[in-house]
Amino acid sequence: MGHSTRSALYPLKFTLLPKEKVWGGQKLKGLLGGVSAGMGNIGEVWEVWEGLAVTNGPLRGKTLKTLVHESPRGILGDSIPSEPEIIFPLLLKLIDAQDTLSVQVHPDDGYARAREKQPFGKTEMWYVLEAEPDARIVHGLNRPVDQAELRHAIERGTLTELLEFVPVARGDIFLLKAGTIHALGKGIMVYELQQSSDLTYRLYDWGRRPSGGVARELHVDKSLEVARLEPIPDHKIRAVDLPETGYRRRLLCACSYFAVEQLISGSRITQQLEGKFHIVTALEGTVSLRPTGGKSEELTLHPLESALVPAGFSQYQILPLEKRYTVMKAYIPNLQADIVSPLLVAGVPRSEVVQLGVDPASISIDR
């Protein structure tokens, strides 16, 4: 299984999956090709997900799910989930919030498997692409509560008195671990990387009645079972610069589920895959992705377009098609080997490593 598929792998671009949302807007239609102008308010566009079909090269029309089944190691490399069914573990989307999203929370893996019979919970990260001057998000609670108090606030319509509202600006980074009560605010556009799960439990929807006067369903019991009930001490992640020659490399976040880097350059740079797949998104400028060796397909990415570079390559190049570019690179790290040890050896304080999203208990004292 998978030999012919693996030998034919190259950087893969996928059909876009736009999602109409009551809180969405029109921006993503203008920024991305492939989003129908005839659709209503677009809140999300999914760019890399196992259900999407390839749009470029000989594998055109095959879904990522099919490719993972045919060549799990060629696509995923060392990042194969230990599940009965091998699933592509991440989902990349762009979100345009022209109104505030519901106050919501996501379960962790254990709850998702036990209660929902789904393989993944949902930890996610946001990188703010645009934010209006007074934009803010909900990020946790402003004081500790218990389940009874939180339920009482939901039932009485006073939940907003318990929420922590955080101002945001372009370039801000947030890691929303499973169990974090949150809401993306009006006037914000984000790059979101997350576990491949759509499990969302709503606690509050701001009194909206979008569908024929019918309020959207709340999931109070499940929300209370999974929600973190104490404040979050640090809201925004501080990116860590990593030493490189010829370009700027910023580590935006790192946890057991994913890591996200930002690469800024005006010249060609080479990226080593080292048994990992990379999800590459062009933020500013147009770039080309070129695997080294063989006769693999080259792929052009315009701003806000994304591609999957399968793990079956040893390395690839990012080439500028304009004077300067910024790209996002997401992957699943070996936390100790790829993140913790290199940062500690480089003299980055342990506290700065932890605030990236690393579980303190996972940090080995052996460098």
Side-chain angles (χ1 to χ4, degrees), residues 77-79 249 271-278 311 313-315 331-332 337-338:
D78 299 331
S79 306
R249 180 185 173 201
Q271 294 294 291
Q272 307 293 332
L273 285 159
E274 299 176 332
K276 301 174 179 62
F277 65 81
H278 288 179
F313 298 107
S314 60
Q315 62 182 24
Y331 57 96
I332 297 179
D338 299 330

Side-chain angles (χ1 to χ4, degrees), residues 15-290:
T15 54
L16 299 179
L17 180 59
K19 301 264 188 175
E20 292 189 51
K21 299 288 183 179
V22 62
W23 42 262
Q26 301 292 311
K27 284 187 177 181
L28 291 175
K29 293 180 184 179
L31 294 172
L32 291 167
V35 178
S36 171
M39 296 185 70
N41 289 331
I42 304 300
E44 304 178 356
V45 176
W46 294 16
E47 293 202 347
V48 178
W49 173 58
E50 69 163 10
L52 303 180
V54 176
T55 62
N56 65 308
L59 298 174
R60 181 191 304 267
K62 286 196 173 189
T63 65
L64 179 54
K65 182 175 182 177
T66 297
L67 297 179
V68 168
H69 176 75
E70 292 179 347
S71 180
R73 194 154 297 279
I75 297 289
L76 300 175
D78 299 331
S79 306
I80 297 178
S82 56
E83 297 294 323
E85 180 184 0
I86 297 174
I87 300 170
F88 189 78
L90 299 180
L91 190 165
L92 173 65
K93 64 176 72 167
L94 302 178
I95 301 179
D96 173 28
Q98 290 304 299
D99 197 359
T100 302
L101 277 67
S102 61
V103 180
Q104 57 192 244
V105 67
H106 308 302
D108 62 15
D109 291 356
Y111 191 94
R113 290 164 186 163
R115 292 294 302 273
E116 303 286 4
K117 309 304 179 188
Q118 295 196 25
F120 304 127
K122 186 175 174 182
T123 287
E124 58 191 333
M125 72 83 68
W126 292 339
Y127 178 82
V128 178
L129 300 172
E130 295 182 9
E132 294 180 358
D134 296 322
R136 58 184 188 166
I137 67 167
V138 172
H139 194 227
L141 302 174
N142 58 29
R143 63 177 176 84
V145 300
D146 58 25
Q147 287 190 358
E149 185 177 5
L150 189 58
R151 181 185 293 276
H152 186 66
I154 295 169
E155 292 173 348
R156 289 177 59 87
T158 59
L159 178 64
T160 56
E161 297 175 8
L162 298 176
L163 301 176
E164 184 71 56
F165 292 89
V166 180
V168 302
R170 181 180 178 183
D172 282 348
I173 308 157
F174 297 89
L175 179 64
L176 298 101
K177 295 183 178 181
T180 302
I181 294 173
H182 64 280
L184 190 63
K186 177 181 179 180
I188 304 173
M189 183 181 294
V190 300
Y191 160 107
E192 177 179 298
L193 184 76
Q194 59 161 95
Q195 291 180 271
S196 186
S197 169
D198 209 24
L199 288 173
T200 297
Y201 304 145
R202 291 192 200 98
L203 292 83
Y204 181 66
D205 199 28
W206 312 100
R208 274 190 291 235
R209 295 184 176 273
S211 181
V214 178
R216 294 195 294 175
E217 181 184 3
L218 301 182
H219 315 92
V220 177
D221 290 341
K222 289 181 177 179
S223 295
L224 293 175
E225 288 177 345
V226 305
R228 174 177 176 170
L229 301 180
E230 66 277 354
I232 298 168
D234 296 309
H235 297 290
K236 301 178 185 181
I237 291 179
R238 298 177 295 276
V240 174
D241 274 278
L242 303 171
E244 293 292 347
T245 301
Y247 68 99
R248 188 179 182 194
R249 180 185 173 201
R250 304 174 70 225
L251 180 57
L252 305 188
C253 75
C255 64
S256 58
Y257 300 111
F258 48 73
V260 180
E261 298 180 10
Q262 189 177 69
L263 311 178
I264 304 169
S265 181
S267 60
R268 175 184 314 195
I269 60 176
T270 299
Q271 294 294 291
Q272 307 293 332
L273 285 159
E274 299 176 332
K276 301 174 179 62
F277 65 81
H278 288 179
I279 299 174
V280 180
T281 303
L283 287 193
E284 298 174 356
T286 301
V287 300
S288 178
L289 304 182
R290 177 187 297 170

